Amino acid sequence: MEILVLSDSHGKVDHMVRAVEQFHPRQVLHLGDCVRDAQALERQFPQLPVTMVPGNCDWGQTGEPERLLEIEGVRILMLHGHTRHVKSSPMAAVYAAREYGADVLLFGHTHVPLVDYDGTLWVMNPGTAGDYTRPTCGLLTIREGAVICSVQNISLGR
């Protein structure tokens, strides 16, 4: 199963549409900034499940700032990152993921792509889908309980 992970789209819904067309995911996880973009993507692809959490730019949005999902037996903690101060260090988010018993931690907020695996926990920041020249996204692949995380460039087709 391929899951597309997006964050910090900041109004660039067209970049998210390109990512869906490029990677053909079975599900999308949006890590905030801006939830309204994820809602627009959901309207454009109604058959594609989209799960989202709000970010620091999602004023007035009600929603869980952190969500723990289980997909095909894999526990995934998704958050934007501002509530765990990831711009200073991702460690508070990592500790939270361990407390939740997560296999994967997904966060955004910094706009800096990151993939790390220490043998027990995958940590991924997909970067920013909203970058005007080099937008990025994450791919979370689950096959028979095994996980692989990667960051990919979104092709703008220029």
Side-chain angles (χ1 to χ4, degrees):
M1 168 182 237
E2 295 284 334
I3 301 169
L4 179 64
V5 183
L6 299 162
S7 189
D8 299 279
S9 47
H10 297 288
K12 299 302 290 176
V13 177
D14 57 328
H15 290 183
M16 298 190 328
V17 168
R18 288 289 305 130
V20 168
E21 292 169 347
Q22 184 177 347
F23 297 107
H24 308 285
R26 293 219 358 240
Q27 187 165 350
V28 174
L29 304 179
H30 191 282
L31 306 176
D33 284 0
C34 296
V35 166
R36 70 179 178 274
D37 299 343
Q39 293 164 339
L41 187 72
E42 196 170 35
R43 286 189 299 275
Q44 191 150 354
F45 296 95
Q47 77 287 359
L48 187 62
V50 178
T51 305
M52 58 199 91
V53 293
N56 60 299
C57 292
D58 290 313
W59 304 286
Q61 290 289 329
T62 58
E64 305 167 54
E66 299 180 1
R67 292 186 76 166
L68 183 65
L69 309 172
E70 187 164 324
I71 301 172
E72 294 190 5
V74 176
R75 292 172 60 94
I76 302 165
L77 177 61
M78 56 184 291
L79 54 113
H80 181 64
H82 63 297
T83 57
R84 298 286 180 166
H85 311 288
V86 297
K87 283 190 178 179
S88 298
S89 168
M91 289 314 296
V94 168
Y95 294 144
R98 293 195 187 288
E99 287 176 13
Y100 279 112
D103 303 299
V104 179
L105 166 63
L106 302 175
F107 70 92
H109 190 50
T110 67
H111 295 204
V112 178
L114 167 73
V115 175
D116 186 50
Y117 181 61
D118 69 0
T120 60
L121 178 68
W122 281 95
V123 176
M124 180 168 60
N125 182 328
T128 173
D131 188 284
Y132 283 87
T133 57
R134 298 188 63 187
T136 58
C137 64
L139 284 181
L140 193 159
T141 304
I142 302 173
R143 286 202 185 16
E144 298 175 10
V147 177
I148 297 174
C149 292
S150 64
V151 172
Q152 303 290 324
N153 292 318
I154 299 172
S155 172
L156 297 180
R158 295 180 189 160

